[in-house]
Amino acid sequence: MAEAPKVEEVISHHEPMDQLQGFEYCIDSNPSWGEAIALGFQHYILALGTAVMIPTMLVPAMEGSDGDKVRVFQTLLFVGGINTLIQTLFGTRLPTVIGGSYAFVVPIMSIINDSKLRQIVDPQQRFLQTMRAIQGAMIVASSIQIILGYSQLWGICSRFFSPLGMVPVISLVGFGLFDKGFPLIGGCVEIGVPMLILFVGLSQYLKNLQAKHLPIMERFSLILSIAIIWAYAQLLTASGAYKHRPHLTQVHCRTDMENLISAAPWIKIPYPLQWGAPTFDAGHAFGMMAAVFVSLVESTGAYKAASRLASATPPPAYVLSRGIGWQGIGILLDGLFGTGTGSTVSVENVGLLGATRVGSRRVIQIAAGFMIFFSILGKFGALFASIPFTIFAAIYCVLFGLVASVGLSFLQFTNMNSMRNLFIVGVSLFLGLSVPEYFREFTANANHGPSHTGAGWFNDILNTIFSSSPTVALIVAVFLDNTLDYKDAARDRGMPWWVKFRTFKGDSRNEEFYTLPFNLNRFFPPA
């Protein structure tokens, strides 16, 4: 009879690892140019979901036309491409796509419903005046991230973060978007469910199929499954399957409902102040500042997830602050160009790094090039943007879940046999899901948030912050982690592992991953 393995031998098979294994291309290794361009195009297609969804939600509420909606979509994609290039070159340098953020919807809807703007009778004038008010608020609010980033204040705040405290934050960056998953698939089950099954089947069960030593299915399952289901949706639309179906079903299922292709110009280059001079209102700006703070928290979690999915070390405080500072510049650009919303790290694109097992920075920079190129060529960009959002919702079910599981992987650096740690993780995860759900349900039923005082700016701040799962999780987890028996729990919290990544020179790998290009570190030495 074989001798039972010792406890030490069993544990050694699952030792905590600084970096995820099994990635063929990490942050600073690159596929061949052909493969990189194909992967970059795949990231671009994925970024279209949010870029179309947000203008589709907000522009009609602003009394904008189909042409206005297309211009906002093009502008959001164009500025997103610029911000992605800036972030990958000079920010955190992590392979992250920067796209539109849902965190800004609450203060933007507050501006849209402002009584002064609602009094404007002409629809086009109302759209323009509303857009200018949103731009002004965003320009002012961007100062939050710029100041917290470049002053290194956010880096100082990050000293209170432990692996234990970051688990709920990173996990809820993915889990907190559950309403963008199956609830939207339910709007068109005959497209959404086949898409979900096909994507999982190609990316997981057929991932070992190769052509010329290239794992085609693992690398390109997203683009292949989208092409197949999009063609299927086009066939259903053309055959008249939805001709007499309810309007909401047609919106979710048809490939021609948004009038994007017909309304899009052939060539249009977005430019600053294209909607006119921004207008400034203190109340609007305060509400928008809350959204900028929420975007900062969500991006912090997404950056840490991206670092693991790119086989990099956790970004040091200096690098994290640098990235947040540049993200503030990105929100300033959003305000100047008039994207209709602020920007944050695209969670779905972070998830795609894990699905393809390619964390290359070059791939994301190529994706940024596609974003800029197709935002200028309006008709071509609108063609790809006509993909039904239900298809994206099916993909989100996989990719958001993958990002959430990366957050859970940080538990390996902590002691989960500690009741203290179990309490903190459980309570912060539960409240991070439960509190925003209460705010969303209340708003849907009452047409206003739970905070409904006479001070609109105060309402916007509370309703925005507590509608964000990662932000609620950060508040709860970091508070509990730094007040509950913290002096004797450093090892249980994972601090001995975490501390070496706090400073740029704390780990020799940081220089390889995060040093600025073009020898710029001579002028901006790491803190």
Side-chain angles (χ1 to χ4, degrees), residues 91-245:
T92 60
R93 306 215 70 216
L94 288 166
T96 50
V97 171
I98 307 298
S101 171
Y102 292 100
F104 291 80
V105 169
V106 172
I108 287 173
M109 288 304 298
S110 179
I111 293 174
I112 291 172
N113 293 320
D114 188 296
S115 58
K116 295 178 184 176
L117 295 170
R118 289 175 69 89
Q119 290 173 2
I120 301 173
V121 178
D122 181 67
Q124 186 62 21
Q125 278 303 310
R126 186 183 170 195
F127 168 76
L128 289 174
Q129 293 298 331
T130 305
M131 179 61 80
R132 292 168 189 170
I134 293 170
Q135 287 181 260
M138 210 168 290
I139 289 170
V140 174
S142 66
S143 61
I144 295 291
Q145 286 195 10
I146 293 173
I147 293 170
L148 287 176
Y150 291 124
S151 68
Q152 296 294 314
L153 280 173
W154 190 242
I156 294 170
C157 291
S158 71
R159 293 182 177 276
F160 296 98
F161 304 161
S162 70
L164 183 76
M166 283 292 100
V167 166
V169 179
I170 301 170
S171 296
L172 291 185
V173 165
F175 286 145
L177 293 167
F178 67 88
D179 59 321
K180 304 295 186 294
F182 208 88
L184 293 177
I185 290 179
C188 190
V189 175
E190 61 268 36
I191 290 177
V193 171
M195 178 67 201
L196 178 58
I197 295 171
L198 185 62
F199 182 47
V200 172
L202 294 181
S203 65
Q204 300 303 316
Y205 291 96
L206 299 178
K207 64 183 178 183
N208 293 321
L209 287 181
Q210 296 189 357
K212 296 182 179 180
H213 304 292
L214 179 67
I216 294 290
M217 293 304 177
E218 184 176 66
R219 293 281 193 275
F220 305 108
S221 56
L222 184 139
I223 198 79
L224 289 171
S225 52
I226 284 180
I228 292 169
I229 301 300
W230 188 19
Y232 167 57
Q234 181 64 42
L235 186 64
L236 289 176
T237 301
S239 66
Y242 303 112
K243 201 169 184 180
H244 304 293
R245 299 289 291 277

Side-chain angles (χ1 to χ4, degrees), residues 470-485:
T471 308
V472 173
L474 179 86
I475 294 169
V476 176
V478 172
F479 174 78
L480 291 176
D481 191 36
N482 286 278
T483 57
L484 202 61
D485 302 328

Side-chain angles (χ1 to χ4, degrees), residues 142-484:
S142 66
S143 61
I144 295 291
Q145 286 195 10
I146 293 173
I147 293 170
L148 287 176
Y150 291 124
S151 68
Q152 296 294 314
L153 280 173
W154 190 242
I156 294 170
C157 291
S158 71
R159 293 182 177 276
F160 296 98
F161 304 161
S162 70
L164 183 76
M166 283 292 100
V167 166
V169 179
I170 301 170
S171 296
L172 291 185
V173 165
F175 286 145
L177 293 167
F178 67 88
D179 59 321
K180 304 295 186 294
F182 208 88
L184 293 177
I185 290 179
C188 190
V189 175
E190 61 268 36
I191 290 177
V193 171
M195 178 67 201
L196 178 58
I197 295 171
L198 185 62
F199 182 47
V200 172
L202 294 181
S203 65
Q204 300 303 316
Y205 291 96
L206 299 178
K207 64 183 178 183
N208 293 321
L209 287 181
Q210 296 189 357
K212 296 182 179 180
H213 304 292
L214 179 67
I216 294 290
M217 293 304 177
E218 184 176 66
R219 293 281 193 275
F220 305 108
S221 56
L222 184 139
I223 198 79
L224 289 171
S225 52
I226 284 180
I228 292 169
I229 301 300
W230 188 19
Y232 167 57
Q234 181 64 42
L235 186 64
L236 289 176
T237 301
S239 66
Y242 303 112
K243 201 169 184 180
H244 304 293
R245 299 289 291 277
H247 176 73
L248 197 58
T249 301
Q250 295 193 42
V251 168
H252 283 100
C253 299
R254 294 182 69 104
T255 58
D256 58 357
M257 278 302 290
E258 300 302 338
N259 300 321
L260 291 174
I261 299 175
S262 59
W266 281 102
I267 297 177
K268 182 74 174 180
I269 301 176
Y271 56 90
L273 308 184
Q274 59 187 333
W275 310 109
T279 57
F280 299 92
D281 180 277
H284 296 164
F286 280 120
M288 199 68 75
M289 284 178 183
V292 171
F293 178 73
V294 166
S295 166
L296 181 154
V297 172
E298 293 177 351
S299 293
T300 298
Y303 285 137
K304 292 185 181 297
S307 67
R308 283 192 69 72
L309 290 173
S311 285
T313 52
Y318 164 75
V319 172
L320 188 61
S321 288
R322 188 175 73 192
I324 293 301
W326 278 110
Q327 193 170 304
I329 298 293
I331 294 174
L332 177 62
L333 292 177
D334 290 331
L336 289 172
F337 278 81
T339 60
T341 187
S343 54
T344 189
V345 176
S346 172
V347 179
E348 54 268 34
N349 288 91
V350 172
L352 188 57
L353 300 177
T356 59
R357 302 196 187 193
V358 176
S360 169
R361 185 188 295 122
R362 176 183 290 175
V363 167
I364 300 302
Q365 291 170 338
I366 292 171
F370 278 119
M371 292 166 73
I372 295 170
F373 180 74
F374 282 113
S375 65
I376 294 173
L377 297 179
K379 293 286 186 188
F380 292 100
L383 172 65
F384 296 120
S386 66
I387 300 170
F389 192 77
T390 306
I391 290 177
F392 290 106
I395 298 167
Y396 293 166
C397 288
V398 176
L399 300 185
F400 289 163
L402 188 54
V403 172
S405 66
V406 171
L408 296 178
S409 75
F410 278 81
L411 289 173
Q412 66 185 301
F413 309 112
T414 68
N415 175 18
M416 290 313 291
N417 291 315
S418 161
M419 280 305 302
R420 171 195 181 274
N421 288 3
L422 290 173
F423 176 85
I424 292 171
V425 171
V427 170
S428 54
L429 279 173
F430 185 84
L431 289 178
L433 287 170
S434 189
V435 172
E437 180 64 14
Y438 163 72
F439 272 72
R440 280 191 290 264
E441 283 192 10
F442 191 102
T443 303
N445 293 328
N447 289 322
H448 60 77
S451 177
H452 190 55
T453 68
W457 61 271
F458 179 76
N459 300 333
D460 289 343
I461 289 174
L462 288 187
N463 292 331
T464 300
I465 287 176
F466 291 104
S467 294
S468 165
S469 290
T471 308
V472 173
L474 179 86
I475 294 169
V476 176
V478 172
F479 174 78
L480 291 176
D481 191 36
N482 286 278
T483 57
L484 202 61

